[in-house]
Amino acid sequence: MTSAFLAILKRDLALASRAGGGGELALVFFLTIVVLVPFALGPDLNLLSRIGPAILWLGALLSMLIGLDRLFQGDEEDGSLDLIRASVLPLELAVLAKGLAHWLTTGLPLALAAPLLGLLVALPGEAMLPVAATLLVGTPALSFIGAGAAALTAGLRRGGLILPVLVAPLTVPVLIFGVSAANAALGGTIPFATPFLILCALSLAAIVVGTLAAAAALRHSA
Amino acid sequence: MASLIDLANPTRFMRYSAVLLPWLAGLSAVSLVVGFYLAWFVAPADYQQGETIRIMFVHVPAAWLAMMFYTMMTLSSLGTLVWRHPLADVAQKTAAPIGAAFALICLLTGAFWGKPMWGTYWVWDARLTSMLVLLLIYLGIMALWRTLDEPSQAGRAVAILTLVGFVNVPIIKFSVDWWNTLHQPASVLRLDGPTIHASMLWPLLILAVGFTLMALVLHLVSMRAEIMRRRVRTLTILEAERLDRLAAEGAPA
Amino acid sequence: MSELGPHASFILASYAAVAVVLGGLIASVLLDHRAQTRALAELEQRGVGRRSDRGRS
C-alpha cells in the first residue's frame, strides 16, 4: 500500500517536472500577477508595502487555481484513473498522493518564491519569513480544496473556468487568516501565533475534507 | 415512514403535488396580502429608523429563506448520497435558483436599507459578507449543474459540493467575524439592538410564513418541471434508440 | 403609508428590486413548467414511451 502511494506520488512528480507540467507555469503566473498589481495601484512603495502580504496571498491563491482542473482530467482521459480505482490502494490515499504531489510542485515553489517577489512590493525584511511561512502552511488547504473541486469536474471537457468559481468561495477563510497572520507579523494588535495556528487548523481540516470529498466524487463518477 | 417512501415515487409525487399546490399557493397569497397590509398600513414607523423599517419586512424573510433553502439542499444531498433517493437530487437542483434569488433579494434590500441608515449601500459587515459568500456558493452549485449533462452523475457531484459548502459556511462565518473585528471598529449601527415591538413582529411573522409558502410552491412547481424534463429526456433517448434499431433492421449494411 | 418620509425612494427601490427578482423567478419557473408539460404531451401524443415505464423519471 505504501509502495502504491509512493508510486502515484513519484509518477505525478515526474509528470509535473516534464514540459507542460503545471508547476513552473503557476510560478510564472504568480510573478505576472505581482507585477501587474503595481501598474494598477501606482508605484507608491508605502502603499505597496502595506498591502504587500495581501498581494502575495492573492497572487498565490490565483496561481494555485491555474491548472488545477488538470489534476484528475488527464488521468480520467488516459484511463489511469480506472486503474487507480481498481487497485488495492484506497481511493482516499490515492487522492492524498495526488494532492501532495500538486502541493509539492505548485504550493511549495510559490511559498519559496514569495520572499523574492516580496522585494517587488517593498515588503519589509522582517515580514519575508512570516509571509513565506503563512504560504507554506496555507497552500496545502488550497491544494486539497481544489482537489475536491477538480475531482467533481474530472469528467468535463470544458471545465476550465468552473473550477475557480467553485473553489473561490471556499477559500475565503484561508485567505483571511493567511493575510491576517502575515499582517500580524508586520506589527499590529494581535500576536502572529493566533491567526497562524488557525491557518494551520484550516489546512489540516481542508486536507481531510478535501481528500474525502475528492475520493467520494471520483467513486461516484465512475 | 411508509408514507415518505411512497412519496419517493416520482409518479406519486406528481399526483400529490398537483393536489397540494393550489392550496399552498392560495394560503401563501392570503398570508402575503394580510402581511403586507399589516406591514404597510398598520405597523407604525420605527422611532429610530422611520419608514425604512418597511424594508425589514422583506429583508428578514429573504435572509431566512436563503439559509433555509441551503439547509434543505444539504439534507437533499444526504438523501442523494446516502439513500439514493430518486427525488433528492431533483429537490436539490431546483432549490438552488430559489435560494439564490432570496439571497440576492436579501442583499439588494439590505443595500437599499443601508444607504439611508448607514450612509452607504454596502459595508463589509460580517453578516452581509457571509450572505454574499453564500450567494457565490449558490451560483457555483448552479454552474456545476449546468456543466454536467447526465442528471444522476451531476446530482452526486453537486451533492458532494453542497455538503462541502455546508461544512464551510460556519467556518466562513467565523473567519469573516474575525476579519471584520480586525478591520472595522464596530461603528455600524447594529440592527439587533432594539427589541422588536408586537405591532411589527406580527406582520413580520405573517410575511415570513407567506414568503416561505411561496418559496415552497415555487420549489414544488420547479420540481415537477424537472421531473418532466427528465422524463422527456429518457423518452427521447429511448425513441432515438428505437429509431436507430429500426434503421439498422430496415437497411442492413 | 400616506407618508414615506425622506427615504421614500430607497423603500420603493427595494420593493421594486424584490418585485423584479421574484417576478423573474416566478416567470422562469412557470415558463419552464409549461414548456416541459408541452414537451411531454407532444411526445406522448406521438406515441413515444407507450411501452416504457411511466413511473420512472
Side-chain angles (χ1 to χ4, degrees):
Chain A
M1 225 152 84
T2 324
S3 64
F5 180 86
L6 288 178
I8 293 178
L9 188 62
K10 253 186 230 156
R11 171 175 162 277
D12 270 35
L13 290 177
L15 280 176
S17 66
R18 254 177 244 159
E24 75 273 12
L25 199 62
L27 212 52
V28 175
F29 188 73
F30 189 27
L31 174 68
T32 317
I33 289 183
V34 174
V35 169
L36 276 181
V37 170
F39 288 122
L41 291 177
D44 179 2
L45 281 185
N46 287 329
L47 174 68
L48 287 178
S49 77
R50 194 157 56 81
I51 60 172
I55 298 173
L56 291 175
W57 253 96
L58 211 53
L61 173 66
L62 293 176
S63 315
M64 291 291 284
L65 297 182
I66 294 294
L68 199 57
D69 57 312
R70 296 297 301 167
L71 188 59
F72 295 108
Q73 241 167 28
D75 290 353
E76 182 77 299
E77 277 158 17
D78 67 11
S80 40
L81 204 55
D82 290 328
L83 288 179
I84 293 174
R85 279 195 194 107
S87 77
V88 288
L89 189 70
L91 206 47
E92 281 80 6
L93 283 181
V95 170
L96 195 65
K98 289 192 70 74
L100 189 60
H102 179 262
W103 179 73
L104 284 175
T105 51
T106 318
L108 186 62
L110 288 179
L112 295 180
L116 278 178
L117 297 184
L119 294 175
L120 289 175
V121 290
L123 204 64
E126 71 269 22
M128 297 284 187
L129 207 59
V131 168
T134 55
L135 281 172
L136 203 61
V137 301
T139 42
L142 304 179
S143 272
F144 279 89
I145 295 173
L152 290 177
T153 56
L156 289 179
R157 289 273 171 274
R158 46 190 160 62
L161 207 57
I162 179 108
L163 191 117
V165 169
L166 299 184
V167 171
L170 303 178
T171 56
V172 168
V174 181
L175 191 61
I176 286 176
F177 285 103
V179 174
S180 53
N183 278 331
L186 276 171
T189 50
I190 48 165
F192 174 71
T194 317
F196 188 74
L197 289 178
I198 298 177
L199 185 64
C200 295
L202 283 177
S203 256
L204 293 176
I207 290 174
V208 175
V209 174
T211 304
L212 291 178
L218 291 177
R219 207 168 274 136
H220 280 300
S221 69
Chain B
M1 207 54 210
S3 63
L4 270 182
I5 291 169
D6 283 349
L7 266 180
N9 182 320
T11 313
R12 282 223 180 76
F13 171 81
M14 292 299 272
R15 205 162 58 227
Y16 289 140
S17 62
V19 177
L20 203 59
L21 267 174
W23 292 95
L24 283 179
L27 214 57
S28 158
V30 169
S31 41
L32 283 178
V33 168
V34 171
F36 272 122
Y37 174 77
L38 288 177
W40 278 85
F41 299 100
V42 180
D46 188 67
Y47 74 100
Q48 223 181 358
Q49 315 214 18
E51 295 285 341
T52 51
I53 198 72
R54 313 264 182 234
I55 298 176
M56 177 196 71
F57 294 116
V58 285
H59 177 77
V60 173
W64 137 250
L65 279 172
M67 288 183 281
M68 186 191 97
F69 265 75
Y70 199 89
T71 314
M72 198 152 83
M73 278 164 56
T74 309
L75 293 179
S76 308
S77 303
L78 282 178
T80 302
L81 291 176
V82 180
W83 297 291
R84 305 274 166 114
H85 199 298
L87 275 177
D89 62 332
V90 174
Q92 203 272 357
K93 178 178 185 184
T94 50
I98 302 175
F102 279 105
L104 183 64
I105 286 177
C106 177
L107 289 173
L108 287 174
T109 54
F112 286 124
W113 195 5
K115 181 66 182 169
M117 288 299 105
W118 299 340
T120 168
Y121 286 106
W122 182 261
V123 285
W124 288 94
D125 170 78
R127 270 197 245 177
L128 276 72
T129 314
S130 304
M131 187 53 82
L132 185 61
V133 175
L134 183 65
L135 178 64
L136 288 180
I137 295 180
Y138 268 128
L139 293 180
I141 287 172
M142 284 160 68
L144 189 58
W145 267 114
R146 289 172 74 99
T147 37
L148 295 168
D149 318 314
E150 213 275 304
S152 68
Q153 191 200 334
R156 287 191 292 265
V158 177
I160 293 169
L161 177 65
T162 310
L163 288 179
V164 172
F166 187 74
V167 173
N168 234 282
V169 164
I171 301 177
I172 290 174
K173 183 79 179 61
F174 162 70
S175 47
V176 170
D177 269 329
W178 156 279
W179 166 81
N180 185 252
T181 48
L182 202 68
H183 283 251
Q184 211 178 33
S187 61
V188 184
L189 172 65
R190 279 291 169 177
L191 298 177
D192 46 10
T195 48
I196 191 162
H197 189 260
S199 62
M200 285 179 190
L201 187 62
W202 275 109
L204 181 62
L205 284 181
I206 295 172
L207 277 175
V209 169
F211 275 118
T212 309
L213 286 175
M214 189 177 91
L216 285 180
V217 167
L218 286 174
H219 192 204
L220 284 181
V221 173
S222 44
M223 276 177 77
R224 289 171 62 84
E226 178 65 22
I227 290 173
M228 287 192 282
R229 183 184 356 266
R230 292 189 185 184
R231 219 173 271 184
V232 168
R233 189 185 131 91
T234 318
L235 290 181
T236 315
I237 291 174
L238 283 176
E239 178 70 359
E241 280 172 357
R242 194 176 65 90
L243 290 179
D244 264 6
R245 231 178 9 251
L246 278 183
E249 280 165 13
Chain C
M1 81 155 193
S2 51
E3 279 298 313
L4 277 180
H7 304 304
S9 55
F10 292 108
I11 302 173
L12 293 178
S14 71
Y15 273 86
V18 173
V20 169
V21 175
L22 272 189
L25 180 69
I26 293 172
S28 70
V29 165
L30 289 184
L31 284 178
D32 185 37
H33 188 264
R34 203 173 62 176
Q36 299 310 325
T37 317
R38 278 201 189 144
L40 196 60
E42 198 179 308
L43 277 176
E44 277 173 359
Q45 203 181 13
R46 289 208 330 244
V48 178
R50 202 169 282 153
R51 283 153 287 110
S52 78
D53 180 8
R54 298 265 187 88
R56 309 285 289 272
S57 61

